[in-house]
Amino acid sequence: MSVLKEGAVGGALNLFFIYKFLRILTTPWESTDAFKLGIVDGKGKILKKHRKLKTIAEKDSYTLMHRLVWKLKRLMEKIPFGKTRLASYGAALWLIKEEKEFHGTDE
């Protein structure tokens, strides 16, 4: 019988949350379910507060994770060229990169 190790499960969950975070960050406003349900507009402005949502579909399309990522996305859009799709992909790659220091030798 095989036993799942905590590291494997934790790694899989981390990978899932990173994927979901980046997917939400790089999705245009008009392609989100919240836009289609009238919760946000085309610029990301919130039209309905979370406490005013009634249906399960509305609540699923506007979760705490969505709010976190969308606030970050709206902040990024305030910088020059931040509204472009390329900028959102660049920001996503910058967020997941690892810091590598190179001091001129391989040792």
Side-chain angles (χ1 to χ4, degrees):
M1 180 169 119
S2 65
V3 177
L4 290 176
K5 297 188 179 197
E6 186 174 305
V9 174
L13 287 174
N14 286 338
L15 188 63
F16 171 74
F17 287 119
I18 290 170
Y19 168 74
K20 188 170 181 173
F21 179 89
L22 295 177
R23 195 182 90 219
I24 294 169
L25 183 66
T26 57
T27 303
W29 295 111
E30 294 82 15
S31 299
T32 63
D33 292 335
F35 177 80
K36 294 171 186 167
L37 293 170
I39 299 169
V40 296
D41 66 1
K43 294 183 180 181
K45 182 179 177 191
I46 307 301
L47 302 175
K48 291 183 185 178
K49 298 289 183 183
H50 190 277
R51 64 181 176 270
K52 302 281 184 184
L53 302 180
K54 306 248 187 278
T55 66
I56 293 173
E58 288 178 331
K59 291 179 181 180
D60 286 344
S61 65
Y62 186 53
T63 63
L64 185 61
M65 184 163 186
H66 286 98
R67 284 183 274 172
L68 170 76
V69 177
W70 287 344
K71 285 184 181 188
L72 176 66
K73 186 174 181 173
R74 282 195 306 270
L75 281 172
M76 286 176 25
E77 288 180 353
K78 291 184 181 195
I79 62 172
F81 304 109
K83 290 184 180 183
T84 64
R85 186 121 183 179
L86 183 62
S88 64
Y89 282 120
L93 289 174
W94 182 80
L95 287 170
I96 62 171
K97 77 175 177 92
E98 286 189 40
E99 188 65 36
K100 299 286 184 191
E101 292 184 23
F102 182 69
H103 298 289
T105 62
D106 290 338
E107 298 176 351

